Amino acid sequence: MVGLEDIIGFCAVVVAAAVSPAQLLALLRADKHHSRTDPAHPAHTVSLVSSVLVCVCNTLWCVYGVLHGAVWSAVLGVLAITVQITVLVVCVTARVIQWWFLSCLGVLLGAVAYAGYLMPAGMLGFIAASMAVVNYLPAAVKQYRAVLSGTLSTRTAYSLSMGLIMLSANLLWIAYAVAIRDIWVGLPCVINAATSVVFIVTHSVVVRHSRKAVAV
């Protein structure tokens, strides 16, 4: 019989799984209007540090979910890794990174998965939760600095829709963590919800400034 925690977990996965696709969609749409070597290409706004952290974090969640019953965390991990690697492939085609970067990332994720398998549940959950707190933080800092310097345009890999989806997803994950009584699943979502607000606010600031510039 399907329980409340399964329903919440499913909803959390559906919403959270849309975070990286929102980023990917922004890149693909903008790719039609930029040459691949254009320094204004949105691929240049992708934080490679965040991309690596997202992949590593979700690899740990996959292992944790499979070994310790947080099934929806494992499902989300697979989806997030797949889409994030696709984002990196777009960065390769835009010549922001090289193909060897993806090869090294694959080796790293394999090592992380094996290390996670050897860890006790508490340690694995703590590390996965800690990384979940910081995985999008470098991207938020990069976008915030770009706003302060006036170099961020409305064509960015971290869009308003991505921020709104992240906020909704993290609120659902908090509810899921409460339902299954798992602190490691819910703890990072509290801070990640704040990170998503950074994307929402910075994008709104850029749009507002762009409208003022057009009006002038």
Side-chain angles (χ1 to χ4, degrees):
M1 184 175 180
V2 178
L4 177 61
E5 65 273 13
D6 290 317
I7 296 174
I8 297 175
F10 175 77
C11 293
V13 167
V14 169
V15 177
V19 173
S20 290
Q23 179 189 30
L24 179 59
L25 185 60
L27 288 174
L28 294 178
R29 282 179 175 174
D31 195 46
K32 297 180 180 179
H33 307 287
H34 293 76
S35 68
R36 296 189 184 279
T37 57
D38 186 355
H41 193 287
H44 290 272
T45 68
V46 173
S47 170
L48 298 183
V49 176
S50 276
S51 295
V52 172
L53 289 176
V54 168
C55 289
V56 170
C57 174
N58 281 285
T59 298
L60 291 174
W61 279 124
C62 285
V63 177
Y64 182 81
V66 169
L67 296 180
H68 306 292
V71 178
W72 293 113
S73 294
V75 172
L76 177 61
V78 173
L79 294 175
I81 292 170
T82 302
V83 178
Q84 196 62 45
I85 289 179
T86 307
V87 169
L88 292 176
V89 169
V90 175
C91 291
V92 170
T93 60
R95 300 182 183 179
V96 175
I97 59 175
Q98 301 298 320
W99 281 107
W100 61 261
F101 183 89
L102 292 181
S103 300
C104 293
L105 179 60
V107 173
L108 174 63
L109 296 184
V112 168
Y114 183 69
Y117 175 76
L118 299 177
M119 291 179 190
M123 181 182 296
L124 177 57
F126 172 76
I127 295 175
S130 299
M131 292 202 67
V133 170
V134 300
N135 57 5
Y136 275 110
L137 191 57
V141 171
K142 183 176 183 178
Q143 182 141 322
Y144 179 72
R145 287 178 176 174
V147 168
L148 292 182
S149 63
T151 59
L152 184 68
S153 70
T154 54
R155 293 191 178 279
T156 171
Y158 306 102
S159 62
L160 176 62
S161 60
M162 179 181 170
L164 292 172
I165 293 171
M166 282 182 64
L167 179 59
S168 301
N170 280 296
L171 293 178
L172 283 170
W173 277 117
I174 292 172
Y176 176 61
V178 171
I180 65 173
R181 295 179 176 84
D182 192 325
I183 187 173
W184 300 122
V185 173
L187 185 60
C189 300
V190 177
I191 298 178
N192 278 340
T195 302
S196 63
V197 172
V198 173
F199 292 123
I200 295 172
V201 172
T202 54
H203 192 273
S204 299
V205 169
V206 173
V207 171
R208 186 166 59 251
H209 287 177
S210 299
R211 288 175 178 172
K212 287 182 179 180
V214 171
V216 174

